[in-house]
Amino acid sequence: MAKSAMLPKINLVISNLLDANKGLKAVIKKELADHLSGKRFIILSSLIVVTCLAALYVAASTIRTSVGQNELDFVFLKLFTTSGSSLPFSFISFVSFLGPLVGLTMGFDAINGERDRGTLSRILSQPIYRDAFINGKFISGVIVLTIAIFGLGFLVAGLGLLFFGIPPSLSEVLRIITYLITSIIYISFWLSLSILFSLLFRQSSTSALAGIAVWLFLAIFAGLLAGMVADGIYPVTDSSDVDRILANSRLKQNLSRLSPSTLYDEATTTLLNPTIRTLGPVLLQQTFGAIKGPLSFGQSLLLIWPQLIGLIAATLICFAISYIIFMRQEIRA
Amino acid sequence: MTVEKEIIVETVGLTKKYGEITAVDNLNLKVEKGSIYGLLGPNGAGKTTTILMLLGLTEPTSGQALVAGYDATRNPLQVKSLVGYLPDNVGFYQELTGKDNLHYTAALNGLSKLEAEKRIHKALERVGLKKAGNRKVGEYSRGMRQRLGIADVLVKDPQLIIMDEPTLGIDPEGVQELLDIITSLARDDGRTVLISSHLLHQIQQICDKVGIFVKGNLIASGSVDQLGQQLFRGKLLQLELKTEPAGETLIQLCKSIDGVKSITKQGDLLVLECSSDIRNQLLEKLIYEKYRLLHLCLRSISLDSIYLRYFQKEEGHYGQISYVAKNQLGNQ
């Protein structure tokens, strides 16, 4: 009874939302069709599927040889985190490295491409609110990402089942699903960043280049730079005291946490390695008395909660800036 | 007896400034329902800005733009559902078919699938793209794309159609087809059409009224005849004349007619300035003297000369435009 009363209510809420965002549904539909049938998407997703399957294969064969020697816990999660000698990348490092590229390719010409083709002024002269257009673009991007990431994750998990014949435990399933959701948020950050660039730059090639520059900077140089700054402020020598070394490594870590890539890497490694108990530097005396063993899912989640919030905030801030710019921008071609 | 016609577009002191530059300056425009109104002016005169303000896509710095009584800034959705806009250089999604593009427009307008299908079929038929509807827009020629643009506007079934430079870059035959379609939109359907253009002849053919737009100011508005009378009242009429054989004897002949004040040569045309319309007398004399008449035109009522006059008043910047207009004159 209660259930049947709820349903029309939800429908009402959704239809109210759509009314308030006239045209949103049509834009989302169109963009979804564009993404899913576009060559760009097919190329990218096949690239990622191939690399991830390679990572999976290497991980599977490495695990086979090592299982039994070490503990048997969380074998299923190891599927995502193990790298082998023939391929020094694991599944999660591939997603962490290539994910931004997916987000960037999906959004780099979102607005300036429409402007170039002369479709922007035609679409916006239809009776829709202006924000329906940019909202629709972002939402459809996130939907496509959700489909792709979940598809990929479950593909790997399914193949893992076939390889090992060991079913995942409940906490493993929860961890994998949280990992996938985190990945969606992370790639959405890159999507919203690329939408922002597509508003800031008139040429889609410029916005693509800007996106790639930021990606490479954050993926490769940001950590290096954080280390350099930290060493500059708190120089550490062999004879430095504990406080100084701690200050140095804390500063380094906090600086590199400005980058969403760091946040994401910290979040995902913690999620998929239940043995990780802390992300910052730990003194030996702090571990005194700690009981050895993996963290529960809830505790892991608690550990990376700030990272998750940071990622969501970065995504929303980028999108909010794009939104404001788009609402104020001149429409003329 | 004159009947007051309903006004569909009205701007009151509409002004748009971009920093120091005033793109549209205190514009007061009125367009009657069911008419074809031509907004004429050189590039950068503020035509497109005006159109964007009428659609509520750009906010005016001050003043109001009213479409069918709705303020375009405050009620953009109502305005946009009444107005079909064909931007200059209209773009479509290349990888979709013409029909799919129109379906998207229909969806954005909240039409049901059935209604959309009906309207799209009708619109495509009307602009002559019935067969091409299932082809990808990437394969369309420019003229076809422009016609698809009109179909796109028609799907919406608007009361007012605004076209920005609809004939730019289209071959003469295509232009004629396009103009025929535009005319029928106003005459057969009773829609109001607002065309912005700098191509005078094409506009002159179909417009009931024109407004001349220079540097953000509407400096004249009315029917082509009215404008001519306004402008040339008390002034000398200009006659263009070309005959075979030309030469000194012809000039002598012209001078002998009463009312001819001066004769100048412009290219292979003779331009006579006269105080009254002397075309009849001139013709009689020419025939009597066995001249072959190649060209005779009273300049004052052609839109070109009106346009030219206005731009000559504005010294400096519009010299180039006047030059173009002159060239077009020569080709007449």
Side-chain angles (χ1 to χ4, degrees):
Chain A
M1 189 66 202
K3 230 178 190 177
S4 59
M6 276 294 281
L7 212 63
K9 231 181 193 174
I10 292 171
N11 279 339
L12 196 71
V13 169
I14 291 175
S15 69
N16 278 345
L17 268 178
L18 285 177
D19 276 349
N21 241 317
K22 224 173 160 202
L24 184 65
K25 202 171 144 194
V27 175
I28 291 179
K29 244 180 165 175
K30 152 86 174 48
E31 292 297 322
L32 271 183
D34 269 9
H35 279 310
L36 294 176
S37 62
K39 290 185 186 97
R40 199 188 289 174
F41 181 75
I42 294 168
I43 292 172
L44 258 176
S45 43
S46 40
L47 170 75
I48 289 184
V49 165
V50 167
T51 49
C52 288
L53 286 184
L56 173 75
Y57 176 75
V58 172
S61 45
T62 314
I63 289 167
R64 254 181 211 203
T65 54
S66 67
V67 155
Q69 291 163 14
N70 305 322
E71 73 267 52
L72 250 172
D73 285 345
F74 302 108
V75 172
F76 215 77
L77 293 181
K78 288 214 172 73
L79 207 57
F80 290 88
T81 52
T82 310
S83 56
S85 50
S86 56
L87 192 71
F89 293 109
S90 61
F91 178 87
I92 58 166
S93 52
F94 264 127
V95 173
S96 143
F97 189 67
L98 291 178
L101 196 63
V102 177
L104 289 175
T105 25
M106 280 173 69
F108 77 92
D109 64 346
I111 307 294
N112 54 15
E114 300 265 353
R115 199 188 288 276
D116 278 351
R117 281 178 289 182
T119 44
L120 185 65
S121 52
R122 194 171 59 82
I123 299 302
L124 290 183
S125 71
Q126 307 302 335
I128 59 168
Y129 291 112
R130 195 189 272 205
D131 54 351
F133 191 68
I134 189 164
N135 289 346
K137 290 232 166 211
F138 184 66
I139 292 172
S140 66
V142 174
I143 292 175
V144 170
L145 280 179
T146 310
I147 296 171
I149 293 291
F150 268 97
L152 190 66
F154 288 144
L155 177 72
V156 169
L159 286 174
L161 265 178
L162 285 181
F163 273 131
F164 299 130
I166 308 171
S169 66
L170 178 66
S171 98
E172 278 179 309
V173 172
L174 285 176
R175 279 170 191 275
I176 289 171
I177 288 177
T178 318
Y179 161 70
L180 295 179
I181 292 172
T182 312
S183 303
I184 293 166
I185 297 170
Y186 177 59
I187 301 177
S188 300
F189 163 75
W190 290 95
L191 175 68
S192 66
L193 187 73
S194 67
I195 290 179
L196 177 62
F197 282 147
S198 86
L199 274 160
L200 291 179
F201 303 106
R202 285 291 159 104
Q203 301 247 317
S204 42
S205 51
T206 317
S207 56
L209 211 60
I212 289 174
V214 173
W215 169 49
L216 287 178
F217 177 77
L218 290 187
I220 298 170
F221 299 112
L224 229 82
L225 211 65
M228 276 162 65
V229 172
D231 285 343
I233 294 176
Y234 300 110
V236 174
T237 56
D238 289 344
S239 55
S240 298
D241 57 7
V242 180
D243 285 340
R244 187 157 215 141
I245 296 173
L246 259 183
N248 176 297
S249 76
R250 282 218 178 98
L251 180 66
K252 185 179 166 186
Q253 192 174 30
N254 285 334
L255 278 179
S256 65
R257 274 179 182 161
L258 289 177
S259 145
S261 313
T262 312
L263 295 181
Y264 173 72
D265 287 340
E266 285 182 350
T268 51
T269 40
T270 309
L271 271 174
L272 295 182
N273 288 310
T275 47
I276 291 182
R277 320 182 114 227
T278 173
L279 289 163
V282 184
L283 295 178
L284 207 58
Q285 69 232 48
Q286 286 177 311
T287 60
F288 185 74
I291 302 160
K292 204 174 172 249
L295 286 186
S296 70
F297 170 65
Q299 291 301 312
S300 287
L301 201 59
L302 207 59
L303 193 59
I304 58 153
W305 201 242
Q307 273 80 354
L308 283 183
I309 298 299
L311 277 178
I312 294 173
T315 310
L316 289 184
I317 288 171
C318 264
F319 184 69
I321 296 172
S322 324
Y323 183 93
I324 293 167
I325 294 177
F326 182 67
M327 293 305 274
R328 291 169 176 237
Q329 206 170 40
E330 278 288 313
I331 291 308
R332 61 183 353 162
Chain B
M1 201 182 87
T2 53
V3 182
E4 267 300 300
K5 279 200 172 170
E6 207 180 322
I7 303 291
I8 187 158
V9 178
E10 188 175 6
T11 69
V12 186
L14 197 64
T15 305
K16 177 74 185 178
K17 287 183 178 157
Y18 292 106
E20 295 279 290
I21 302 156
T22 306
V24 177
D25 191 7
N26 199 16
L27 176 68
N28 293 300
L29 184 75
K30 274 184 186 170
V31 179
E32 286 167 358
K33 202 168 182 176
S35 66
I36 303 181
Y37 191 93
L39 209 52
L40 296 176
N43 298 327
K47 291 171 293 174
T48 306
T49 310
T50 307
I51 289 173
L52 290 178
M53 284 193 284
L54 283 177
L55 284 164
L57 288 177
T58 293
E59 236 171 272
T61 312
S62 66
Q64 257 190 327
L66 298 168
V67 176
Y70 292 111
D71 186 320
T73 318
R74 284 164 190 266
N75 299 308
L77 284 208
Q78 273 93 336
V79 168
K80 285 195 271 187
S81 61
L82 291 175
V83 182
Y85 173 46
L86 182 68
D88 64 339
N89 227 333
V90 61
F92 288 95
Y93 298 101
Q94 307 271 320
E95 65 285 351
L96 298 182
T97 65
K99 251 187 184 164
D100 287 344
N101 268 295
L102 298 193
H103 268 295
Y104 186 32
T105 309
L108 289 173
N109 279 284
L111 297 182
S112 71
K113 202 132 200 190
L114 204 74
E115 178 68 18
E117 191 65 46
K118 249 197 293 189
R119 287 199 194 177
I120 288 168
H121 183 79
K122 249 166 84 184
L124 283 177
E125 195 165 18
R126 182 144 189 195
V127 297
L129 286 176
K130 210 174 156 193
K131 279 185 198 154
N134 285 321
R135 273 167 52 197
K136 287 193 174 168
V137 175
E139 301 166 8
Y140 280 25
S141 70
R142 201 190 156 104
M144 286 164 84
R145 225 173 307 151
Q146 203 70 22
R147 277 185 285 155
L148 186 64
I150 293 182
D152 182 67
V153 165
L154 284 176
V155 166
K156 207 171 176 179
D157 192 20
Q159 287 185 27
L160 169 69
I161 299 174
I162 300 181
M163 300 181 174
D164 200 352
E165 304 279 5
T167 55
L168 202 64
I170 291 177
D171 58 59
E173 200 186 337
V175 166
Q176 200 49 53
E177 276 175 33
L178 212 61
L179 292 180
D180 287 345
I181 296 172
I182 295 172
T183 315
S184 107
L185 291 178
R187 303 286 176 263
D188 303 342
D189 302 4
R191 301 179 210 272
T192 316
V193 184
L194 181 70
I195 305 178
S196 119
S197 183
H198 64 263
L199 299 168
L200 311 173
H201 304 288
Q202 299 168 355
I203 298 310
Q204 188 180 9
Q205 280 179 39
I206 59 169
C207 284
D208 301 318
K209 270 192 171 180
V210 295
I212 293 179
F213 221 71
V214 176
K215 283 188 188 166
N217 287 303
L218 187 71
I219 53 176
S221 174
S223 69
V224 174
D225 288 342
Q226 277 174 352
L227 284 189
Q229 282 163 15
Q230 251 177 46
L231 189 65
F232 292 95
R233 193 182 301 135
K235 289 199 179 125
L236 296 177
L237 300 175
Q238 288 190 329
L239 270 183
E240 288 171 10
L241 178 65
K242 188 181 176 188
T243 59
E244 215 179 58
E248 204 50 41
T249 47
L250 177 67
I251 296 176
Q252 289 305 325
L253 181 142
C254 293
K255 271 187 183 163
S256 68
I257 300 172
D258 267 356
V260 176
K261 302 291 183 195
S262 74
I263 300 170
T264 46
K265 235 179 159 174
Q266 285 185 0
D268 55 353
L269 289 179
L270 275 186
V271 178
L272 315 179
E273 286 198 313
C274 35
S275 50
S276 62
D277 191 351
I278 53 149
R279 277 181 289 187
N280 270 337
Q281 292 144 274
L282 183 65
L283 215 56
E284 273 172 26
K285 283 215 169 177
L286 286 175
I287 291 166
Y288 185 72
E289 302 283 342
K290 298 217 164 83
Y291 279 95
R292 213 147 67 84
L293 183 65
L294 299 176
H295 177 86
L296 179 63
C297 175
L298 185 61
R299 240 188 208 182
S300 51
I301 11 179
S302 124
L303 196 52
D304 268 334
S305 56
I306 298 172
Y307 200 62
L308 203 60
R309 267 299 161 100
Y310 279 115
F311 293 147
Q312 278 168 347
K313 280 185 187 170
E314 309 277 327
E315 66 273 28
H317 286 75
Y318 296 98
Q320 216 178 350
I321 305 292
S322 322
Y323 174 74
V324 173
K326 253 180 212 160
N327 272 356
Q328 284 174 343
L329 262 181
N331 295 336
Q332 232 177 17

